[in-house]
Amino acid sequence: MHQNNLIYKGYRLTAKVSRGAPGDNAPASGSPVFTASVVIVPAGAVQDTGDEYAVPGFAEGQVVYSPREAVHVAISHGCAIVDALTGVAG
């Protein structure tokens, strides 16, 4: 199991991975494809469900070939969002 959560600069980032539908930019071999979004919530907010953000590449139709890659892309995007929100570069 791959970790899909990260505490970053006081925010909890959670990747929500989805398996792509057959034909969603899938290779001819029929390999499964994955996308993800990221949910951002202050780390101390127990009851808050946070805000979900689309990952630009996935929103444009790109896919990856493993859940691990999807998590990595989503969490990396989440870190960039937190950096922008806090005004502090990584």
Side-chain angles (χ1 to χ4, degrees):
M1 187 70 176
H2 305 293
Q3 182 177 356
N4 69 334
N5 291 287
L6 173 71
I7 301 296
Y8 182 74
K9 296 184 180 178
Y11 290 86
R12 185 175 63 246
L13 312 178
T14 303
K16 293 176 64 176
V17 177
S18 300
R19 187 170 179 168
D24 287 351
N25 295 333
S29 67
S31 297
V33 294
F34 300 88
T35 63
S37 59
V38 63
V39 176
I40 300 176
V41 63
V46 178
Q47 299 292 329
D48 192 349
T49 57
D51 296 311
E52 187 169 349
Y53 296 89
V55 176
F58 295 144
E60 295 168 0
Q62 295 175 358
V63 295
V64 293
Y65 299 99
S66 76
R68 176 186 287 201
E69 286 180 275
V71 167
H72 175 73
V73 172
I75 295 295
S76 295
H77 181 62
C79 289
I81 291 171
V82 169
D83 287 343
L85 288 173
T86 61
V88 179

